[in-house]
Each structure stands twice: as structure tokens, then as C-alpha cells.
Amino acid sequence: MTRLSGSGLSITEWKPLMGVFPPLSDSEWRHSFEQYQHIAQFKKLNYHFTLADYQGLFFWEWVHREWARLMGLVFIIPFLIFLTRGKFNRTLGVHLAGLFLLGMLQGLAGWLMVQSGLNDTDVTVSHIRLAVHFCLALFLLSYLFWMFLDSGANHATISPVRPFRNLTGAIVITLGFQLIYGAFMAGTHAALYAPTAGYEWSDLYVIN
């Protein structure tokens, strides 16, 4: 939804703790809007925005960040409780701690991605940083799924058929490249180049 609404650059500050609260007064909203007005996305694309328009844009990015914070709390609170009560062994504890660190890294990558678009020239974020943010999310999900499968496995010795293993590896690698390529396509709005050759993509973006 953040990508579809184009709201990723609406919050120009990264406040891991105090950012939980949106602007609560008219002066705070105007201050936030003024900060947004300094970047290229406002000057080149959303120059017609009123404060009400900006608040609608702000909402989606704020929900996006709150969802990330909520996932962090849902994870870390039970983790600390179970850890102090000795509910899992050392190996599982290391994996879970690694999972939490990956989540923190994902948040940092998200901010670095946003930061790449907070300037006077770029109306979008870096497609490379977008791809990194996206791939980290996929890796985090895959790692979590692997942990789930591993927790229920009987760890019996398995001898996979070599051709099948090679085919699986090739599919995973191809899929990985395809996903990265998709992130590059989305980050550069490459699809907008196809219909007309005589316009900059930003012009087409405004028209559409």
C-alpha cells in the first residue's frame, strides 16, 4: 500500500521511539508538512498538495512503520519472557536472536532507502536500496519459515537425488534474480517507459 499510494517519502524523519505518535497538534502537522515541502517529490510531483492531502499520504507510511514496530514488540516480549524462564535451548535462542537482529536490520535498510529520496533531485527512492529492503524482507520470511519447518522435523538422515537437488537450486537462484529484477522495475517505474517514447517517466507519472 505504501508503494501504491506513493507515501514512502511523506515522513522525512526517523524516530524509532517517538515516531510511534503522529503529529498531535496543528503546529506539529504544519511543521511535518513544511519538511515534506523541501524535498523534490513535493516540488516536482505533489506541489498542489494541501495539508489535508499530505495527511492522507502521511497516514499510509505511518501505518507501515507502526506495523513494523508492532511486529518487533510481538516478537521481543515473548522472547525475553521465554528466555528468562529457560523455555528453549541455546541453539533455538541463537536463531531467535538472529531473527530479531534481521528485523532490526530490515528497519534500518528501510530508513536508508527512504533517506535516498529526501533531496532536491530525486522524486523516488533508490531502486537499489529498494531491492535491498525487499530482499531482506524475503530472506527474513524464508528464515522464519525454515525455523518453523526445522522445529517439526525429525532430523532423519535424508539423501536427496542429485538432479532434483540441482534443479531446486537452479530454480531458487533464478527466482532470486527475478525478484531483484522486479524490485528494480518497480523502483525505476520502468513500465512507464514503454507506452510513449517522448516523455520523461515523471511526466507520465503525473498524467496517470
Side-chain angles (χ1 to χ4, degrees), residues 105-117:
L105 181 62
Q106 169 71 348
L108 177 61
W111 169 245
L112 292 176
M113 178 190 68
V114 170
Q115 196 176 46
S116 67

Side-chain angles (χ1 to χ4, degrees), residues 71-129:
M71 286 192 291
L73 286 176
V74 167
F75 181 92
I76 195 61
I77 293 176
F79 172 76
L80 292 176
I81 293 175
F82 294 153
L83 179 65
T84 55
R85 296 184 178 182
K87 295 296 184 180
F88 38 68
N89 57 36
R90 180 181 178 84
T91 301
L92 181 57
V94 170
H95 282 306
L96 290 173
L99 193 65
F100 183 73
L101 290 176
L102 280 173
M104 294 180 65
L105 181 62
Q106 169 71 348
L108 177 61
W111 169 245
L112 292 176
M113 178 190 68
V114 170
Q115 196 176 46
S116 67
L118 301 178
N119 53 59
D120 290 327
T121 57
D122 300 316
V123 296
T124 60
V125 299
S126 165
H127 64 285
I128 296 176
R129 296 190 185 188

